[in-house]
Amino acid sequence: MLQFDVSNALPFLPKNWLSSRLDGLINAWNLLERGNGQGGEFTGWVHLPENYDPEELSRLLQTARIIRDQSQVLVVIGIGGSYLGARAVLELLTSPNYNLFCKDTPQIFFTGNTLSSDALNELLDYVRDKDFSVNMISKSGSTTESSIAFLLFRQLLEEKYGRAGARDRIFVTTDRHEGHLRALANQEGYATFSVPASIGGRYSVLTAAGLLPLAVAGLPVQELLDGAAEAMGYLRTPGQDNPAWQYAAARHALYESGKNIELLACYEPSFRFFGEWWKQLFGESEGKDGQGIFPASVEFTADLHSMGQYIQEGERDLFETVVRFAIPSSSCLLNPKPGDRSGLEYLRGKDLRFVNEQARRGTALAHADGGVPNLLLTAQERTAHWVGQLIYFFEYSCGLSGYLLGVNPFNQPGVEAYKKNMFALLGKPGYEERRKILDSRR
């Protein structure tokens, strides 16, 4: 079970920080479990870990083996929730350098999340002389960035393997029934997986959107689901001992006290993209109606030498949530030779993981002394089982937090604003009147 520790935030919290929010938490919990609150039609993820279709999972694992057998590279095309979860888990369970070290599994590159011609051409050039497959992920199939990337890589596949050969190397994850991508996949005969209509993109990492790329990398996706199912088991129990209730209540209390920026931190570099996934999860879920905590992430100890000064002595409008893995995957014993003038003699005989832990403890105390509350979430190990628990913990806490704040945690109306302007400026049919308005503002 994940352990949540609020001790380094208690001086900043009112004495009744949890008890005074129990009524709100009970209401939020009921809305999540019953799926009858705002956006309740998008709460399919709440019970997904124990309801995942075993036949679908078996087909997914079989498809992953096909991709591994025929490809040196898998290009995963998606943006936001269509790729962040998969990349987060891939790097956290392997390494940010996965593509340098993978031997029996394909390299995996993520694209479709940019409109940079330089970035797209670089990857197109790289895979041109390699056997590669594509996993296109989009519920609607109409997202501009991903659609453009899919067009380019699909054309390259057809040039390289012919239309029939390309068909066997394109795998589509989309809505089960609707959308441009579903229609194209049906027309061309691509192998398809679906994201349930009841699960939004940022909550979809435990669907085929996340699981297929992870299975291609040879990761134990069943253990990931089992970990999430274990977290679901203890987080569905209401009460003050529920760590998701504690986290949601502490965040809400700190927000009401003026702490409107949350920094997610970890002392493992492989956690970086987990932070990116977490930022979308909370940013899109809470940032609406003029409300919400701004989610940011930092990598410690690296960012202590860049952002550390601001965190310690800047505006006092932030708090930290630190994710800790109690048992590191490896050890590194420090053994400086006497007289080598390294200045590290005091560390002789100590393991680097011990040094890292003392850096975490010292930082937490310094930041708390400097006016930055610290919340601590501890997982035992950096394994699929514990990462599955982390994913579900943050998803569930996010749902509770949104309802506690009084917003719909499952919509994102503001995301459409830039798209409408971009479509008008690009001349997309149906946006002519908006184009006139934008042209008048030059």
Side-chain angles (χ1 to χ4, degrees):
M1 179 173 172
L2 296 171
Q3 301 297 315
F4 181 71
D5 182 358
V6 73
S7 58
N8 277 323
L10 287 177
F12 305 89
L13 292 167
K15 290 184 178 180
N16 63 347
W17 64 274
L18 181 54
S19 60
S20 65
R21 289 169 174 78
L22 286 180
D23 287 345
L25 286 165
I26 290 171
N27 179 62
W29 175 81
N30 275 312
L31 295 177
L32 275 185
E33 290 293 331
R34 297 175 183 175
N36 58 1
Q38 290 187 84
E41 65 273 24
F42 294 108
T43 54
W45 56 271
V46 173
H47 301 120
L48 177 69
E50 69 176 10
N51 294 334
Y52 203 98
D53 182 353
E55 291 185 7
E56 174 87 350
L57 184 59
S58 177
R59 188 169 70 89
L60 185 149
L61 294 173
Q62 182 180 7
T63 300
R65 287 192 290 270
I66 292 171
I67 295 173
R68 286 200 299 269
D69 289 343
Q70 71 182 9
S71 302
Q72 296 169 284
V73 175
L74 173 65
V75 177
V76 179
I77 299 175
I79 195 168
S82 294
Y83 94 100
L84 281 171
R87 184 165 183 180
V89 177
L90 175 66
E91 294 197 3
L92 185 54
L93 290 180
T94 60
S95 162
N97 301 312
Y98 164 83
N99 285 334
L100 294 179
F101 299 125
C102 59
K103 295 180 180 178
D104 301 322
T105 56
Q107 293 180 309
I108 298 178
F109 292 93
F110 296 89
T111 189
N113 46 61
T114 180
L115 293 173
S116 165
S117 58
D118 290 347
L120 282 165
N121 279 324
E122 179 183 67
L123 187 53
L124 285 163
D125 289 342
Y126 181 78
V127 302
R128 196 174 303 276
D129 297 323
K130 291 180 169 57
D131 285 321
F132 74 100
S133 297
V134 167
N135 179 204
M136 170 62 175
I137 308 170
S138 174
K139 284 191 75 174
S140 67
S142 60
T143 306
T144 304
E145 293 89 338
S146 300
S147 296
I148 288 173
F150 186 44
L151 171 68
L152 295 171
F153 282 92
R154 180 160 54 96
Q155 288 175 339
L156 180 57
L157 280 171
E158 291 179 353
E159 291 173 11
K160 188 176 176 69
Y161 300 103
R163 189 170 178 179
R167 183 184 302 121
D168 295 334
R169 292 176 174 272
I170 294 175
F171 304 87
V172 169
T173 306
T174 188
D175 185 270
R176 189 180 300 276
H177 303 292
E178 301 177 343
H180 298 298
L181 188 54
R182 170 56 64 179
L184 176 64
N186 291 344
Q187 174 186 310
E188 297 294 331
Y190 300 145
T192 61
F193 292 89
S194 61
V195 177
S198 60
I199 300 178
R202 59 188 179 273
Y203 291 87
S204 68
V205 61
L206 296 177
T207 71
L211 298 184
L212 180 57
L214 296 173
V216 172
L219 293 174
V221 296
Q222 183 63 64
E223 291 181 24
L224 198 69
L225 289 168
D226 290 345
E230 181 176 321
M232 184 182 72
Y234 60 76
L235 294 180
R236 75 191 330 173
T237 303
Q240 297 188 53
D241 294 331
N242 187 313
W245 285 38
Q246 295 171 2
Y247 179 49
R251 295 178 76 251
H252 190 259
L254 290 168
Y255 178 57
E256 287 195 332
S257 74
K259 304 293 187 181
N260 55 17
I261 299 172
E262 180 176 11
L263 298 178
L264 185 73
C266 186
Y267 287 73
E268 291 292 340
S270 60
F271 192 81
R272 177 189 169 198
F273 261 88
F274 197 97
E276 296 299 310
W277 169 79
W278 174 88
K279 287 193 296 189
Q280 185 200 6
L281 178 66
F282 279 87
E284 277 195 350
S285 297
E286 289 189 319
K288 55 200 70 166
D289 302 338
Q291 301 184 83
I293 297 168
F294 183 84
S297 60
V298 286
E299 179 189 320
F300 287 161
T301 60
D303 283 335
L304 291 174
H305 297 262
S306 56
M307 294 296 293
Q309 174 61 40
Y310 187 94
I311 296 170
Q312 190 71 43
E313 296 184 347
E315 288 280 351
R316 302 296 79 190
D317 55 358
L318 52 85
F319 67 97
E320 291 174 319
T321 297
V322 177
V323 174
R324 169 179 174 260
F325 295 97
I327 305 173
S329 301
S330 65
S331 63
C332 181
L333 190 66
L334 301 176
N335 190 26
K337 296 179 180 178
D340 71 356
R341 306 177 72 89
S342 65
L344 298 176
E345 289 84 356
Y346 70 101
L347 295 178
R348 184 177 294 112
K350 293 182 172 63
D351 197 286
L352 189 55
R353 58 189 179 183
F354 172 81
V355 178
N356 200 30
E357 176 64 8
Q358 304 323 303
R360 183 199 64 77
R361 293 179 59 196
T363 301
L365 294 170
H367 286 179
D369 290 344
V372 179
N374 268 252
L375 307 173
L376 179 65
L377 183 66
T378 298
Q380 283 301 299
E381 298 176 283
R382 191 159 54 92
T383 62
H385 185 85
W386 286 98
V387 171
Q389 289 197 47
L390 281 175
I391 290 168
Y392 193 85
F393 171 85
F394 281 121
E395 289 180 343
Y396 202 83
S397 300
C398 188
L400 292 174
S401 293
Y403 283 138
L404 201 58
L405 192 60
V407 301
N408 180 348
F410 307 112
N411 68 352
Q412 54 279 342
V415 173
E416 300 304 314
Y418 92 90
K419 294 181 182 179
K420 293 175 182 177
N421 287 345
M422 180 178 69
F423 292 155
L425 293 169
L426 289 171
K428 185 174 182 177
Y431 291 84
E432 292 81 6
E433 291 302 315
R434 194 171 190 90
R435 175 62 184 264
K436 292 177 183 177
I437 295 171
L438 295 177
D439 285 344
S440 71
R441 293 172 58 182
R442 286 181 175 175

